Amino acid sequence: DTAVSQTPKYLVTQMGNDKSIKCEQNLGHDTMYWYKQDSKKFLKIMFSYNNKELIINETVPNRFSPKSPDKAHLNLHINSLELGDSAVYFCASSQDGTGGNEQYFGPGTRLTVT
Amino acid sequence: GENVEQHPSTLSVQEGDSAVIKCTYSDSASNYFPWYKQELGKRPQLIIDIRSNVGEKKDQRIAVTLNKTAKHFSLHITETQPEDSAVYFCAASPDTGNQFYFGTGTSLTVIP
């Protein structure tokens, strides 16, 4: 029983396309996150949602739009994909948004834009 | 905002030797400091964490030390084994807010 799951695991698409990545957690956590990990392995937070409300929105192009239909799901939609969007995207969740709690990561989605 | 620096970026040690990875942070409001291990192609996973009311914490071969005055914390791995080879990330987080600030990662290679 996977705690944090993401689909798809791999995504190959062409520039200009629109794509979505889905994330679900069955831990009952209140807070969910999206991270981008580039080729140099840097882990950069993109968004944070607490109980379906956007809490953090780092400097991310507005082509990226997160959507949280309920607190167990946080999806990431990307419009007009660019080459520089190629990366591994990790979803994560934590018990609440106080910051002092372990983050549980999903398996990652490797996005390749050609 | 918080700035977390991590050194070294790569580290190679002989099996059985110790490995030390160091991180510094800038925001005195940070008081939770986890360490994550990411094996090749896998997700980051928590291996140990420390809070600011504690100076040191140990779990078998892994220990973390925190110097809140100097704003730095370190991961120590003793008797390293090949399966310790991975990328290690430190992070800093305040108790309030939802922010986690990750270091830039250290790629550790343990040579058999």
Side-chain angles (χ1 to χ4, degrees):
Chain A
D1 53 348
T2 307
V4 183
S5 58
Q6 291 177 232
T7 54
K9 191 167 172 60
Y10 299 97
L11 186 52
V12 181
T13 188
Q14 291 186 326
M15 282 174 55
N17 284 349
D18 303 338
K19 290 293 177 186
S20 292
I21 307 172
K22 296 187 176 182
C23 178
E24 177 182 1
Q25 54 95 3
N26 62 8
L27 297 165
H29 287 169
D30 287 338
T31 305
M32 296 184 72
Y33 310 79
W34 276 109
Y35 287 88
K36 178 180 180 182
Q37 186 171 47
D38 61 23
S39 57
K40 292 183 179 178
K41 303 295 184 186
F42 297 153
L43 261 175
K44 185 169 169 48
I45 192 167
M46 300 173 69
F47 302 101
S48 168
Y49 268 73
N50 183 263
N51 269 318
K52 302 193 300 173
E53 272 191 50
L54 179 65
I55 303 298
I56 294 170
N57 182 354
E58 289 294 312
T59 309
V60 176
N62 57 14
R63 299 182 294 105
F64 290 78
S65 53
K67 287 208 169 37
S68 182
D70 54 62
K71 75 172 194 178
H73 296 84
L74 181 62
N75 304 323
L76 184 65
H77 188 75
I78 316 170
N79 289 328
S80 303
L81 278 155
E82 300 177 357
L83 292 176
D85 298 333
S86 295
V88 179
Y89 291 83
F90 285 100
C91 175
S93 72
S94 65
Q95 187 169 355
D96 59 40
T98 60
N101 293 288
E102 176 181 356
Q103 296 211 345
Y104 293 79
F105 285 83
T109 296
R110 182 173 293 278
L111 171 65
T112 304
V113 182
T114 60
Chain B
E2 175 67 278
N3 180 36
V4 179
E5 295 190 357
Q6 182 171 348
H7 300 281
S9 57
T10 59
L11 180 60
S12 290
V13 298
Q14 290 291 134
E15 183 177 356
D17 286 351
S18 295
V20 180
I21 302 171
K22 298 182 179 182
C23 287
T24 60
Y25 63 99
S26 58
D27 190 349
S28 56
S30 290
N31 51 16
Y32 174 63
F33 306 94
W35 286 88
Y36 285 79
K37 176 183 180 182
Q38 185 179 24
E39 295 176 359
L40 189 63
K42 300 281 182 68
R43 74 191 78 191
Q45 291 191 290
L46 181 74
I47 53 171
I48 195 167
D49 56 15
I50 192 167
R51 296 181 192 272
S52 60
N53 56 348
V54 175
E56 183 173 356
K57 185 176 178 180
K58 193 171 180 182
D59 182 4
Q60 298 182 333
R61 296 186 298 108
I62 294 172
V64 58
T65 58
L66 170 66
N67 183 328
K68 206 153 162 49
T69 304
K71 295 196 182 73
H72 64 71
F73 56 113
S74 302
L75 178 71
H76 305 252
I77 307 174
T78 58
E79 299 170 33
T80 53
Q81 301 166 4
E83 49 266 39
D84 294 330
S85 296
V87 178
Y88 291 81
F89 293 94
C90 63
S93 179
D95 264 354
T96 56
N98 299 269
Q99 189 63 288
F100 258 60
Y101 298 89
F102 280 91
T104 48
T106 297
S107 179
L108 173 65
T109 302
V110 180
I111 304 164

